[in-house]
Amino acid sequence: MFGQMQDVPLLVSSLIDYAEKFHSEQEIVTRTLQGPIHRYTYADAGRRSRQLAKALIALGVGEGDRVGTLAWNTYRHFEAWYGITGIGAVTHTLNPRLFAEQLAYIIHHAENRFVILDPTFTGMLEGILDQIPTVEGFIILADRADMPATSLPNVICYEDLIAAHDADYQWPQLDERAAAAMCYTSGTTGNPKGVLYTNRSCVLHALSAALPDVMGCGSRTTIMPVVPLFHANGWGIAHFAPMTGAKMVLPGKEMDGASIYQLLNEEKVNLTAAVPTVWLMLLRHLQENDLDLPYLERVVIGGSAAPRSMIEAFEAKYGVTVGHIWGMTEINPIGSMGTPKASMEGMDYQDQLDLKMKQGRGMWGVDLKITDDDGNRLPWDGETAGHLMVRGPWVVSEYYKGEGGQILDEEGFFDTGDIANIDSYGYVQLTDRAKDVIKSGGEWISSIDLENTAVGHPEIAEAAVIGIYHPKWDERPLLVCVRAKDATIGKDAILEFMTGKVAKWWMPDDVVFVEELPHTATGKLQKLKLREQFKGYKLPTY
Ligand code: ADP
């Protein structure tokens, strides 16, 4: 027997529609690429995204067509997300930090018909123009005065484009399974693969992500997504902020400590989210200038492991609660969040920190399991590590164009490529990526743990641990460090610092200091490159 409630499709357009009607006065603040602060409201954003919708339709863009966006977090980029997706086309976020060949590959693979871009990115596309023949035109997010000189063909000025249309437009009632947006994995191994979000997955993810124990977003929240809209669906913020009527602060392209600090304070931001490297820059700025964070209540850290020293600095020194989050492009992207349960409140702070360093509890909607190499489930004892597998309404079922073939196990779980343990509270602790795992004497050593411990030393700015061939143990850990500015720390001092903080047999066999470490386009350590760099390295222990 079926129930008798209305079967209304879950559509991304309903999010902006809701914000426009019920939070029409709420602000969206942007640091423009030109510098000045721009302010408008959800009423303006809704109206302008409908104008864009009509303009795109007039250009011949139809349901299912892919439209790329190559832009920083600004109000125009936000409108573009809604204008494109709202008409049933697919917003394809492009990461400007990708290598030119990768960018060309994904624009072409996704067969983008148009690319909407910031004026600063014209040069990047000029360089790959001959490799992206599906693109019929380039819409530049600028008004006439800021239009750049470019050799790109069929260039359209965004403000002129939307000014030619009124906002008299009703968002169509699409099938909720219709593709809403796409994002490619960064392709650290092989070509990037496309993940195609549905309208349904975006709305359900936004609902769950907004919950108090996840991002905790509401109409009294002022949220600043420093994480770019082009990184893994922008962590869903551009969806759940309008869903909850939150004020949004969009930082544009400036992510240095001083710029971020200025917006946090002047706009009274109380919730913000980004990868650890951004927070390192902010913490350094605060320290060097003897500043504090009077308005910020919570900072969400994810994308890479949040070091203990960072969590402690935010919480103990600045009174800002840290939410450690885990997710990935293939999950829309949030999978777990470390909001403590009431039962943990009485715990000793150092024990709480141990928990906060884990990647959080599973959230509603993302079922988790850990398995051994043969696919058998492993216990949730907080120690046994295995392949982290996920299943749920916002988990990928297959990659775009079927790349990679069948990607789910027989129970419908997707292998995240991460290695983790899960404790009896349901907290996930990542120990490695499967391809980065260090196997020593048949046991796994967690590179994430070692890296976190090393960066706990104030003279270490960044650390990476890779497995190096060892004739007796197969592999042993090599610690590669970048010293903090003006620091002089050497091998013995860092090893002494780590002694007692990690299991004895995990201790690195050697330490090397470098000027910088290789990173991916999403700011993660590029271990593959590092392993290539240290190929043939001979440890002093054999
Ligand atoms: P990329 O394209 O760079 O792989 P993703 O955002 O999809 O971008 O990366 C997801 C991966 O990032 C996860 O599978 C995991 O390995 C890593 N990751 C995400 N959050 C965390 C975290 N809090 N701690 C450690 N690693 C994380």
Side-chain angles (χ1 to χ4, degrees):
M1 183 184 186
F2 289 110
Q4 295 177 312
M5 308 310 278
Q6 297 182 9
D7 195 10
V8 176
L10 302 175
L11 299 179
V12 167
S13 55
S14 70
L15 305 174
I16 193 73
D17 193 43
Y18 168 79
E20 194 181 350
K21 285 184 182 139
F22 296 96
H23 297 280
S24 58
E25 79 293 1
Q26 183 63 285
E27 269 189 316
I28 301 176
V29 179
T30 300
R31 186 196 296 283
T32 60
L33 304 194
Q34 293 74 25
I37 300 294
H38 172 275
R39 292 171 191 279
Y40 76 169
T41 63
Y42 278 120
D44 299 317
R47 178 175 43 76
R48 284 166 55 92
S49 53
R50 287 199 308 282
Q51 287 175 261
L52 174 62
K54 286 179 91 166
L56 289 172
I57 292 169
L59 284 172
V61 176
E63 285 186 25
D65 286 343
R66 276 78 62 207
V67 177
T69 66
L70 184 63
W72 300 111
N73 291 6
T74 67
Y75 66 100
R76 290 186 178 120
H77 194 183
F78 176 77
E79 291 161 11
W81 269 39
Y82 283 96
I84 299 166
T85 298
I87 64 169
V90 182
T91 306
H92 175 196
T93 49
L94 300 164
N95 183 345
R97 297 185 185 126
L98 288 172
F99 291 121
E101 318 84 78
Q102 282 180 317
L103 201 57
Y105 174 86
I106 66 173
I107 293 174
H108 191 58
H109 190 261
E111 297 162 87
N112 289 177
R113 287 193 55 195
F114 287 86
V115 176
I116 299 183
L117 65 150
D118 277 336
T120 37
F121 297 132
T122 47
M124 204 176 275
L125 293 187
E126 283 162 10
I128 56 169
L129 187 63
D130 57 334
Q131 298 166 61
I132 50 171
T134 63
V135 182
E136 295 159 37
F138 298 88
I139 302 168
I140 309 221
L141 292 170
D143 52 27
R144 183 93 345 245
D146 290 323
M147 282 295 280
T150 172
S151 61
L152 287 173
N154 304 324
V155 164
I156 301 163
C157 167
Y158 178 81
E159 290 296 338
D160 286 358
L161 178 72
I162 67 169
H165 297 270
D166 62 34
D168 184 16
Y169 178 72
Q170 285 280 335
W171 299 115
Q173 290 298 292
L174 309 162
D175 186 316
E176 65 178 16
R177 293 163 303 175
M182 77 192 307
C183 189
Y184 277 68
T185 61
S186 67
T188 31
T189 48
N191 277 326
K193 292 195 266 311
V195 179
L196 203 50
Y197 306 122
T198 58
N199 273 269
R200 176 185 156 83
S201 75
C202 291
V203 172
L204 288 175
H205 172 266
L207 252 182
S208 196
L211 287 172
D213 271 12
V214 188
M215 297 291 268
C217 195
S219 62
R220 286 157 196 261
T221 306
T222 297
I223 186 167
M224 176 158 76
V226 184
V227 53
L229 288 170
F230 55 74
H231 186 190
N233 192 35
W235 298 7
I237 297 174
H239 289 151
F240 66 72
M243 171 186 263
T244 57
K247 172 177 166 183
M248 285 179 88
V249 180
L250 302 170
K253 69 179 187 341
E254 309 304 340
M255 293 177 207
D256 59 284
S259 305
I260 293 300
Y261 175 77
Q262 188 194 6
L263 286 178
L264 287 174
N265 264 16
E266 288 179 6
E267 297 304 324
K268 300 188 171 57
V269 172
N270 51 19
L271 173 63
T272 181
V275 295
T277 38
V278 167
W279 302 129
L280 268 183
M281 291 191 284
L282 177 71
L283 288 172
R284 198 174 308 142
H285 179 75
L286 296 176
Q287 171 94 26
E288 286 170 4
N289 297 284
D290 202 16
L291 301 168
D292 56 12
L293 294 167
Y295 305 106
L296 190 60
E297 291 164 19
R298 271 177 310 130
V299 59
V300 174
I301 309 178
S304 300
R308 190 182 192 94
S309 47
M310 178 176 290
I311 302 175
E312 202 168 6
F314 270 119
E315 297 206 329
K317 197 160 175 200
Y318 300 105
V320 177
T321 304
V322 170
H324 194 182
I325 205 165
W326 165 81
M328 67 192 311
T329 305
E330 287 90 335
I331 333 184
N332 234 112
I334 306 177
S336 64
M337 168 57 128
T339 315
K341 295 183 187 181
S343 56
M344 292 159 193
E345 263 162 29
M347 279 166 87
D348 172 76
Y349 183 62
Q350 290 305 320
D351 295 339
Q352 285 191 36
L353 265 182
D354 289 344
L355 275 178
K356 286 174 190 228
M357 285 187 59
K358 298 190 178 194
Q359 278 70 14
R361 291 186 275 124
M363 65 199 277
W364 177 83
V366 182
D367 197 6
L368 303 171
K369 67 174 179 180
I370 41 172
T371 62
D372 64 17
D373 288 343
D374 300 323
N376 303 308
R377 283 181 192 248
L378 293 170
W380 289 18
D381 58 10
E383 281 180 13
T384 314
H387 302 276
L388 181 61
M389 315 278 293
V390 288
R391 179 176 64 183
W394 57 86
V395 175
V396 68
S397 64
E398 61 179 315
Y399 288 109
Y400 185 53
K401 294 185 177 168
E403 302 270 324
Q406 152 73 9
I407 53 170
L408 307 184
D409 73 4
E410 58 283 2
E411 290 184 328
F413 280 80
F414 168 74
D415 186 346
T416 63
D418 286 325
I419 303 293
N421 65 56
I422 305 181
D423 67 18
S424 56
Y425 295 116
Y427 272 78
V428 177
Q429 180 171 28
L430 257 61
T431 56
D432 252 306
R433 280 198 148 183
K435 53 185 189 300
D436 296 334
V437 133
I438 303 169
K439 277 196 176 141
S440 173
E443 300 278 352
W444 287 347
I445 293 178
S446 165
S447 63
I448 293 185
D449 247 30
L450 291 174
E451 288 156 7
N452 269 336
T453 309
V455 295
H457 194 292
E459 294 202 13
I460 301 290
E462 205 181 6
V465 176
I466 51 170
I468 296 284
Y469 170 73
H470 190 285
K472 180 166 174 204
W473 302 107
D474 274 346
E475 279 184 339
R476 289 295 303 157
L478 169 70
L479 172 63
V480 188
C481 295
V482 179
R483 288 191 185 91
K485 204 168 146 233
D486 302 328
T488 54
I489 187 168
K491 172 178 166 179
D492 293 345
I494 183 64
L495 288 179
E496 194 186 325
F497 172 79
M498 292 173 76
T499 303
K501 295 190 175 74
V502 296
K504 210 167 166 190
W505 64 275
W506 282 22
M507 284 294 286
D509 279 27
D510 202 3
V511 184
V512 175
F513 291 90
V514 292
E515 287 302 311
E516 60 175 347
L517 289 165
H519 291 98
T520 67
T522 48
K524 298 186 209 319
L525 284 170
Q526 210 170 12
K527 299 265 180 95
L528 191 70
K529 216 163 183 184
L530 202 61
R531 279 194 295 269
E532 275 165 21
Q533 200 176 319
F534 285 92
K535 208 169 160 195
Y537 186 83
K538 197 164 176 302
L539 291 166
T541 46
Y542 69 87

